[in-house]
Amino acid sequence: MSRRVRRKLEEEKGKDKVVVLPSYPETSISDEDLVAPQLLHGFVDWTSLPYDTVLQLFTCLNYRDRASLASTCKTWRCLGASSCLWSSLDLRPHKFDASMAASLASRCVNLHNLRFRGVESADSLIHLKARNLLEVSGDYCRKITDATLSMIVARHEALESLQLGPDFCEKITSDAIKAVAFCCPKLKKLRLSGIRDVTSEAVEALAKHCPQLSDLGFLDCLNIDEEALGKVVSVRYLSVAGTSNIKWSTASNSWDKLPKLTGLDVSRTDIGPTAVSRFLTSSQSLKVLCALNCHVLEEDTSFFSSNRFKGKVLLALFTNVFDGLASIFADKTKKPKDIFAYWRELMKTTKDKTVDDFMHWIEWIISHTLLRTAECNPQGLDDFWLNQGAALLLNLMQSSQEDVQERSATGLATFVVIDDENASIDCGRAEAVMKDGGIRLLLELAKSWREGLQSEAAKAIANLSVNANVAKSVAEEGGIKILAGLAKSMNRLVAEEAAGGLWNLSVGEEHKNAIALAGGVKALVDLIFRWPNGCDGVLERAAGALANLAADDKCSMEVATAGGVHALVMLARNCKYEGVQEQAARALANLAAHGDSNNNNAAVGQEAGALEALVQLTQSLHEGVRQEAAGALWNLSFDDKNRESIAVAGGVEALVVLAQSCSNASTGLQERAAGALWGLSVSEANSVAIGREGGVPPLIALARSEAEDVHETAAGALWNLAFNPGNALRIVEEGGVPALVHLCLSSVSKMARFMAALALAYMFDGRMDEYALMIGTSSSESTSKSISLDGARNMALKHIEAFVLTFIDPHIFESPVVSSTPTMLAQVTERARIQEAGHLRCSGAEIGRFVTMLRNPDSTLKACAAFALLQFTIPGGRHAMHHVSLMQNGGESRFLRSAAASAKTPREAKIFTKIILRNLEHHQAESSI
């Protein structure tokens, strides 16, 4: 798999429209209405369900599904408009504009909690007319301006919580912060990320006008006024994580006097031991100082063992976070790693708001810092991630705070990644997640009705599943069915991450059929039709998953049946994103790779525009696209009609250009370029065209490659080209004989050596000489490049003979009379057999040429021809029966018997010919059964 594991989303792309229904007044529900559902003709009448049951159903659905459910009848439309269902609203997955806001406004009278994404959504919030809004949280806020934020807070004076981030609010200044302070006197929580300068005037305005402000965060800011922050006397929880240019001497002198300060987060800053000591010793109220990933502090090894801060907790990379948090609670019998679970149980009984607020803040700041740290992926944190980080993220995934859950799942998706480009992850970290029960937790989150959680959980499952052991665990826990279900989501972000999970899981052969059985194939194909334009992420993942699945014979049929051929060709033709083009071409290549077992190869070729699109993609600027397109054309060229259609579509010219340009490319591209030319050259017309277009020199260059796969395919192409005497002469003139001789002599691939020998045999069996004479070239001199054909012939025949002898046991041929017993013939066959040669398929003309070569006066060519025919007729070969039929239909058996008995036939050729006759008899006997 080559995919990017992780990527950033663009806030303006691929959002879905919110489905809006007309507003209905709330209806009163009487006792008579609360009746059990009635049976009508043996079926449940769902419209008779009690209203409170229906409302409960609504609360378990996302907004889109609520709209669908509400559309079933008038009663349910009224219930769907109930204010209790509209106390919170998550607009992030949807395209939200002013008209949409106006449509929803009548339902948002009692809206308290709102989450949005991007500047267009922010500009439209005021049109909801949700004057009772208490909490607003936004992300992708880079383009939000002071004017937009000021307008939002001016219309929502009751706001108690405002969070913008974690991406930087680049266009928001201290003027907007002052507007927040003036307009929101009830503000209790303010967290802003990436403000360039937080001035003293802005901070003092918060201190003056927001007396209830207890949770304040300026994260990843460039400058803040440290002294002014010391005047916000109401603050209990202060976070400056990631903020630079802090004067720590000023900060420690000002903040340690804050009377209510309980928690301080300085993670990812340059705070040093002196300031940390000052905070922990001077502040009377401070309980916890979080200093995770603070490099200056961590460089002072003498500070690691310091234990002089009694009653205070320092959370750092060199401390045990679980132990520190456990020390806050009176009950010391609980295991530190269970401290979050212990607190959540405690919440149900004690209802201590102070403790709850404190722990909620702890959850938020740790999840934020762990995600930011994972994104930067600094060196030297392996021990932390394995011993604490993974366990912390898994604990935080169980938080009651949805944003903490999402951030923790994203952290798991991120911290395992080593290399985005090559889709490689840290196996130790991935298996640490699995060992601590993380897979089950992630799958539970993926089943949530909240689409934000679904998306982030699916992303984590996808990245972790790059590890084969984790993929197996996901499958065993029912994850394939869950991901296949999420791939059907109408939320693009959810469907995209689910498709990514199926992509990674489909790498494993053992998971392919399970994905098909779970409906994953159809879901992936449907994704392509659902978002055919402008949604490159989902299209790349869907096509990548289909490409993996299409490599399996059975699944490839499922892909075709589900409309996958049309969908993938549509992507290859229309999509401009290189990642999508690469995966679509790879999927088409895999679909076409099962020519002997299904008709997908022909089906791809018959799809309108398919071959033209693939030929066009061979000219892409992206190497991966060119490689996969050439691979698809190679596979498709095994079909006779496709082969000719590719040529008509300009495939010969395009592939020759590709071969000419790939001398410095990857071995994968070189192999496929040579392979596609090999496939096309089966047709003599194409073979002649390849030679005419200049295909010989690049193939000779590829034949010199050290990579086995490259020079093997190049040898195959040159073998086909050499059948034509004009091409054979071109190969000689371009210096191809030494290249082929080198392959005969030194390649580790038996197939490469075999095909190189056959190419040389074609070139020097006499036909090229006749052609040379015909065009006016003597047998000893080439008018174009002064190549000595005699010298080339002698070199070629010498190495053909040496090649054939490597497959012969010399002891068998030492005696004056060579036995022809079945045992001896079986031994010779076993020694001579090239297993892969059974996959080669020859035409009648090629078989006839080898038979004719047995009459050649040169003993080396006779032995080579007999050796070749032996390979093509050995029982068990993929095309052996085809070759035998050609020989029987051509009446070659009589001549073979004559050659086997002739005194002029070399000993090696005689033995090989007798084996060929035995092969013919074997196939004849089998066919008569």
Side-chain angles (χ1 to χ4, degrees):
M1 150 195 114
S2 153
R3 64 160 286 213
R4 294 180 176 87
V5 177
R6 199 175 56 198
R7 82 278 176 266
K8 294 188 177 179
L9 299 171
E10 296 180 27
E11 64 182 58
E12 301 302 330
K13 291 176 65 178
K15 296 181 181 178
D16 307 318
K17 283 280 186 181
V18 179
V19 179
V20 179
L21 294 169
S23 177
Y24 292 88
E26 288 189 54
T27 57
S28 59
I29 301 174
S30 65
D31 291 339
E32 289 78 10
D33 294 322
L34 300 178
V35 293
Q38 302 296 313
L39 284 174
L40 187 63
H41 303 301
F43 295 96
V44 173
D45 179 8
W46 292 104
T47 60
S48 67
L49 279 172
Y51 288 175
D52 57 348
T53 303
V54 178
L55 286 172
Q56 187 62 36
L57 283 173
F58 274 109
T59 63
C60 297
L61 301 175
N62 60 46
Y63 305 111
R64 187 181 294 100
D65 292 341
R66 288 181 188 179
S68 297
L69 186 62
S71 67
T72 55
C73 66
K74 183 177 180 180
T75 301
W76 284 16
R77 282 200 297 274
C78 294
L79 289 173
S82 298
S83 60
C84 64
L85 298 175
W86 294 90
S87 62
S88 66
L89 188 60
D90 186 353
L91 298 170
R92 292 174 301 163
H94 309 285
K95 181 176 176 59
F96 181 72
D97 53 24
S99 62
M100 190 61 59
S103 300
L104 291 171
S106 61
R107 303 184 181 191
C108 295
V109 175
N110 295 310
L111 184 65
H112 291 160
N113 187 301
L114 177 69
R115 301 183 74 178
F116 72 91
R117 172 167 290 158
V119 64
E120 184 180 12
S121 294
D123 289 337
S124 305
L125 291 185
I126 60 169
H127 299 290
L128 284 174
K129 299 179 182 179
R131 302 304 294 262
N132 295 315
L133 201 58
L134 301 178
E135 298 182 15
V136 171
S137 176
D139 55 22
Y140 292 86
C141 300
R142 291 183 183 274
K143 296 182 181 179
I144 294 180
T145 62
D146 284 354
T148 297
L149 181 55
S150 298
M151 180 176 59
I152 291 172
V153 296
R155 298 292 183 90
H156 303 99
E157 301 91 340
L159 270 185
E160 296 180 358
S161 173
L162 175 62
Q163 300 183 70
L164 300 178
D167 50 312
F168 295 174
C169 303
E170 295 175 346
K171 295 189 175 183
I172 293 177
T173 70
S174 288
D175 290 340
I177 298 175
K178 286 188 282 185
V180 171
F182 295 144
C183 296
C184 303
K186 298 180 180 180
L187 195 67
K188 297 178 181 179
K189 181 190 298 181
L190 177 64
R191 294 170 182 162
L192 302 175
S193 295
I195 308 295
R196 179 172 292 278
D197 291 297
V198 182
T199 64
S200 60
E201 292 85 356
V203 177
E204 287 170 1
L206 290 170
K208 179 179 179 181
H209 298 287
C210 303
Q212 300 178 60
L213 184 60
S214 60
D215 186 339
L216 181 58
F218 292 115
L219 300 94
D220 296 293
C221 297
L222 189 61
N223 295 293
I224 59 173
D225 191 292
E226 302 87 352
E227 190 171 349
L229 278 176
K231 298 177 182 178
V232 189
V233 293
S234 60
V235 72
R236 292 180 180 274
Y237 311 111
L238 176 62
S239 177
V240 292
T243 293
S244 54
N245 302 318
I246 296 178
K247 303 178 186 69
W248 289 110
S249 58
T250 304
S252 57
N253 285 329
S254 299
W255 303 351
D256 65 358
K257 297 180 179 64
L258 289 169
K260 298 179 181 179
L261 185 64
T262 306
L264 176 61
D265 178 22
V266 296
S267 299
R268 301 182 294 110
T269 66
D270 60 356
I271 193 171
T274 303
V276 170
S277 298
R278 174 67 185 265
F279 281 125
L280 291 174
T281 54
S282 300
S283 176
Q284 300 300 310
S285 58
L286 188 64
K287 291 183 179 180
V288 172
L289 191 152
C290 186
L292 292 168
N293 197 18
C294 295
H295 62 93
V296 176
L297 180 64
E298 289 149 14
E299 288 169 1
D300 188 344
T301 55
S302 64
F303 199 79
F304 289 16
S305 58
S306 175
N307 193 27
R308 60 183 181 275
F309 309 117
K310 300 297 182 183
K312 306 291 177 71
V313 175
L314 173 63
L315 305 180
L317 294 183
F318 52 81
T319 68
N320 188 304
V321 175
F322 289 103
D323 286 347
L325 295 177
S327 68
I328 297 171
F329 294 89
D331 189 344
K332 307 300 181 186
T333 63
K334 302 298 179 184
K335 294 179 180 178
K337 282 208 170 184
D338 296 334
I339 194 60
F340 286 99
Y342 166 70
W343 158 62
R344 290 173 192 133
E345 284 299 315
L346 200 64
M347 276 174 49
K348 298 175 183 177
T349 55
T350 61
K351 306 293 184 183
D352 188 333
K353 190 176 185 306
T354 302
V355 173
D356 292 348
D357 288 347
F358 174 71
M359 288 300 292
H360 281 134
W361 179 77
I362 289 288
E363 286 185 328
W364 197 94
I365 61 159
I366 292 178
S367 65
H368 185 277
T369 288
L370 290 180
L371 176 56
R372 280 297 199 204
T373 302
E375 289 172 340
C376 298
N377 196 21
Q379 299 295 312
L381 292 188
D382 280 350
D383 287 344
F384 170 77
W385 286 121
L386 292 175
N387 297 327
Q388 294 194 74
L392 282 167
L393 288 169
L394 292 176
N395 273 278
L396 294 170
M397 277 205 315
Q398 301 169 69
S399 170
S400 60
Q401 301 179 84
E402 185 182 348
D403 57 344
V404 171
Q405 288 182 303
E406 287 183 21
R407 206 159 29 241
S408 302
T410 308
L412 286 175
T414 306
F415 95 111
V416 295
V417 177
I418 298 173
D419 184 348
D420 286 354
E421 295 298 322
N422 296 314
S424 63
I425 67 170
D426 187 299
C427 293
R429 296 180 187 180
E431 294 189 12
V433 174
M434 180 176 66
K435 182 181 65 176
D436 288 339
I439 303 304
R440 186 174 288 114
L441 285 173
L442 284 167
L443 291 174
E444 285 300 317
L445 279 190
K447 291 190 288 186
S448 165
W449 68 269
R450 298 181 183 276
E451 293 174 324
L453 291 178
Q454 291 175 351
S455 173
E456 298 308 323
K459 181 193 299 182
I461 294 165
N463 286 3
L464 289 163
S465 295
V466 172
N467 178 278
N469 291 331
V470 175
K472 181 180 178 183
S473 177
V474 170
E476 290 173 348
E477 295 285 350
I480 288 176
K481 185 176 181 180
I482 293 172
L483 289 172
L486 292 179
K488 301 172 185 176
S489 172
M490 296 302 294
N491 181 322
R492 182 186 60 79
L493 300 181
V494 175
E496 180 174 326
E497 300 302 348
L502 293 174
W503 186 1
N504 288 345
L505 284 165
S506 62
V507 171
E509 294 298 322
E510 66 275 24
H511 305 314
K512 288 181 167 67
N513 284 330
I515 291 172
L517 289 172
V521 171
K522 187 175 188 309
L524 291 164
V525 172
D526 288 347
L527 281 183
I528 296 173
F529 291 123
R530 188 178 305 144
W531 288 294
N533 301 305
C535 301
D536 299 333
V538 68
L539 295 176
E540 181 180 15
R541 285 158 178 74
L546 290 171
N548 287 349
L549 292 166
D552 176 83
D553 181 35
K554 185 177 178 181
C555 290
S556 73
M557 292 298 295
E558 291 262 0
V559 173
T561 303
V565 173
H566 179 64
L568 292 163
V569 170
M570 180 179 71
L571 293 183
R573 293 180 64 185
N574 302 328
C575 188
K576 303 305 179 186
Y577 177 60
E578 292 162 345
V580 177
Q581 293 174 340
E582 180 178 356
Q583 296 309 321
R586 186 169 73 91
L588 291 171
N590 287 347
L591 280 171
H594 308 281
D596 290 345
S597 55
N598 61 50
N599 63 353
N600 285 346
N601 190 306
V604 173
Q606 291 165 10
E607 184 69 31
L611 301 179
E612 292 83 355
L614 290 167
V615 169
Q616 187 67 32
L617 290 180
T618 63
Q619 303 168 41
S620 169
L621 296 176
H622 187 272
E623 182 173 313
V625 176
R626 298 198 301 274
Q627 175 175 311
E628 298 303 341
L633 291 171
W634 183 6
N635 288 349
L636 288 164
S637 68
F638 284 93
D639 180 86
D640 294 340
K641 289 184 178 179
N642 286 344
R643 191 183 307 122
E644 303 313 316
S645 297
I646 290 169
V648 171
V652 170
E653 297 83 354
L655 289 165
V656 167
V657 170
L658 181 62
Q660 291 169 337
S661 65
C662 70
S663 57
N664 296 318
S666 67
T667 56
L669 175 55
Q670 291 176 338
E671 178 197 5
R672 287 163 176 79
L677 288 172
W678 181 9
L680 289 182
S681 64
V682 169
S683 157
E684 187 164 9
N686 289 344
S687 176
V688 171
I690 290 169
R692 184 179 62 245
E693 293 295 327
V696 169
L699 286 169
I700 292 172
L702 294 175
R704 294 191 179 102
S705 170
E706 294 297 320
E708 179 182 340
D709 290 339
V710 176
H711 66 235
E712 185 179 291
T713 50
L718 289 170
W719 170 38
N720 279 354
L721 291 178
F723 187 85
N724 176 270
N727 283 337
L729 185 59
R730 286 190 182 95
I731 294 171
V732 174
E733 291 176 341
E734 296 292 344
V737 172
L740 291 167
V741 162
H742 178 72
L743 286 185
C744 267
L745 183 68
S746 61
S747 175
V748 296
S749 164
K750 290 182 180 180
M751 275 287 283
R753 293 166 60 203
F754 178 50
M755 291 186 293
L758 298 187
L760 291 169
Y762 277 172
M763 291 160 63
F764 296 105
D765 67 351
R767 297 193 187 187
M768 182 180 68
D769 298 82
E770 295 172 3
Y771 176 80
L773 286 171
M774 184 179 67
I775 64 172
T777 304
S778 71
S779 61
S780 60
E781 179 179 348
S782 167
T783 57
S784 61
K785 296 194 176 181
S786 301
I787 299 297
S788 170
L789 294 184
D790 286 340
R793 180 184 298 103
N794 292 336
M795 181 193 302
L797 294 177
K798 175 183 175 181
H799 287 87
I800 291 172
E801 180 182 20
F803 165 75
V804 174
L805 289 175
T806 59
F807 292 88
I808 294 174
D809 185 348
H811 300 296
I812 294 177
F813 296 92
E814 282 177 354
S815 59
V817 179
V818 179
S819 168
S820 297
T821 64
T823 302
M824 188 279 290
L825 294 179
Q827 290 175 351
V828 173
T829 302
E830 189 61 32
R831 174 69 182 263
R833 183 171 192 174
I834 300 173
Q835 196 73 32
E836 300 88 340
H839 293 283
L840 297 174
R841 181 184 176 94
C842 297
S843 66
E846 289 172 305
I847 292 295
R849 187 159 180 176
F850 286 119
V851 173
T852 302
M853 211 179 288
L854 287 172
R855 301 187 181 98
N856 196 290
D858 188 277
S859 60
T860 298
L861 289 176
K862 287 180 178 178
C864 181
F867 181 79
L869 291 171
L870 180 153
Q871 302 297 334
F872 299 144
T873 58
I874 291 177
R878 188 174 180 181
H879 301 293
M881 186 65 78
H882 164 72
H883 296 141
V884 168
S885 297
L886 291 175
M887 295 175 74
Q888 289 173 338
N889 294 338
E892 310 293 4
S893 298
R894 184 168 52 185
F895 174 73
L896 289 171
R897 291 190 185 92
S898 174
S902 174
K904 295 181 180 180
T905 304
R907 185 177 296 185
E908 296 86 355
K910 276 188 176 184
I911 296 300
F912 291 153
T913 304
K914 290 177 180 179
I915 295 172
I916 297 166
L917 287 166
R918 192 180 70 153
N919 292 344
L920 295 179
E921 292 168 2
H922 171 85
H923 287 292
Q924 188 171 8
E926 274 203 344
S927 62
S928 64
I929 295 175

